[in-house]
């Protein structure tokens, strides 16, 4: 099964890199996976396959950084290679580890995650303040009702007591 997945990923990678123009980026969804492809203007291309939840922005940051470091490490020698898999790039393992958690790898994603968390907390706080306000409104209303009833009771008691004078 693992060999079949590897063959499928290799096929997708080769097909999508051929169909991505130099200087372009694209994301292609296939079933529950998204294939992110970036071809630099010099023709060097990279592909990342992720699940649908993985942010495409982070995938392209990963691709850009990896391709830049690859160029610094290998130079233009990749252009003359007939078997791309034969080019060693040990840094790929470090990148794959670092980018397992998109929020930790990408500062913008981390900030967005923090903002979403803060927004959620603020919504809960506002909801509880509104709920408290409704309870206060209800108490004020009940207090007003009690006040009206006590005034009516006082007036009624005054009328009742006025007919009988205690000497």
């Amino acid at each position: 099964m693992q060999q079949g997945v590897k063959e499928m990923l290799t096929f997708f990678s080769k097909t999508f890199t051929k169909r991505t123009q130099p200087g372009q980026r694209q994301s292609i969804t296939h079933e529950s996976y998204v294939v992110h492809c970036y071809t630099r203007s010099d023709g060097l291309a990279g592909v990342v396959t992720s699940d649908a939840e993985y942010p495409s922005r982070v995938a392209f940051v990963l691709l850009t950084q990896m391709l830049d470091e690859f160029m610094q490490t290998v130079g233009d020698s990749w252009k003359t290679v007939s078997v791309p898999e034969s080019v060693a790039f040990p840094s790929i393992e470090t990148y794959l580890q670092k980018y397992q958690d998109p929020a930790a790898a990408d500062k913008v994603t981390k900030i967005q995650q923090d903002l979403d968390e803060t927004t959620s907390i603020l919504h809960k706080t506002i909801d509880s303040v509104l709920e408290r306000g409704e309870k206060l409104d209800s108490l004020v209303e009940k207090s007003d009702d009690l006040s009206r009833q006590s005034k009516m009771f006082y007036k009624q008691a005054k009328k009742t007591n006025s007919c009988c004078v205690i000497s």
Side-chain angles (χ1 to χ4, degrees), residues 52-64:
E53 285 83 44
Y54 198 87
S56 58
R57 181 195 175 315
V58 179
F60 286 120
V61 168
L62 165 63
L63 282 170
T64 302

Side-chain angles (χ1 to χ4, degrees), residues 49-75:
T49 303
S50 67
D51 60 15
E53 285 83 44
Y54 198 87
S56 58
R57 181 195 175 315
V58 179
F60 286 120
V61 168
L62 165 63
L63 282 170
T64 302
Q65 288 180 358
M66 271 197 328
L67 292 174
D68 288 348
E69 186 175 331
F70 181 84
M71 278 300 291
Q72 290 173 354
T73 306
V74 177

Side-chain angles (χ1 to χ4, degrees), residues 23-39:
Q24 299 292 308
R25 303 166 197 258
Q26 65 175 334
S27 297
I28 300 99
T29 303
H30 177 73
E31 294 176 6
S32 60
Y33 298 102
V34 180
V35 180
H36 305 281
C37 183
Y38 171 44
T39 303

Side-chain angles (χ1 to χ4, degrees), residues 82-143:
S82 58
V83 181
E85 295 84 8
S86 66
V87 180
F89 185 57
S91 299
I92 197 166
E93 292 299 323
T94 308
Y95 279 106
L96 294 177
Q97 285 293 348
K98 178 181 175 185
Y99 281 84
Q100 287 298 309
D101 178 11
D106 183 50
K107 291 178 180 153
V108 172
T109 303
K110 173 76 171 125
I111 290 168
Q112 183 62 49
Q113 198 173 41
D114 291 346
L115 281 172
D116 290 345
E117 204 172 289
T118 304
T119 303
S120 174
I121 291 168
L122 283 172
H123 282 288
K124 287 178 185 174
T125 304
I126 289 170
D127 287 345
S128 46
V129 165
L130 290 173
E131 199 174 289
R132 233 179 285 141
E134 288 173 8
K135 288 179 182 176
L136 284 173
D137 288 346
S138 175
L139 282 174
V140 166
E141 193 176 299
K142 287 177 183 177
S143 172

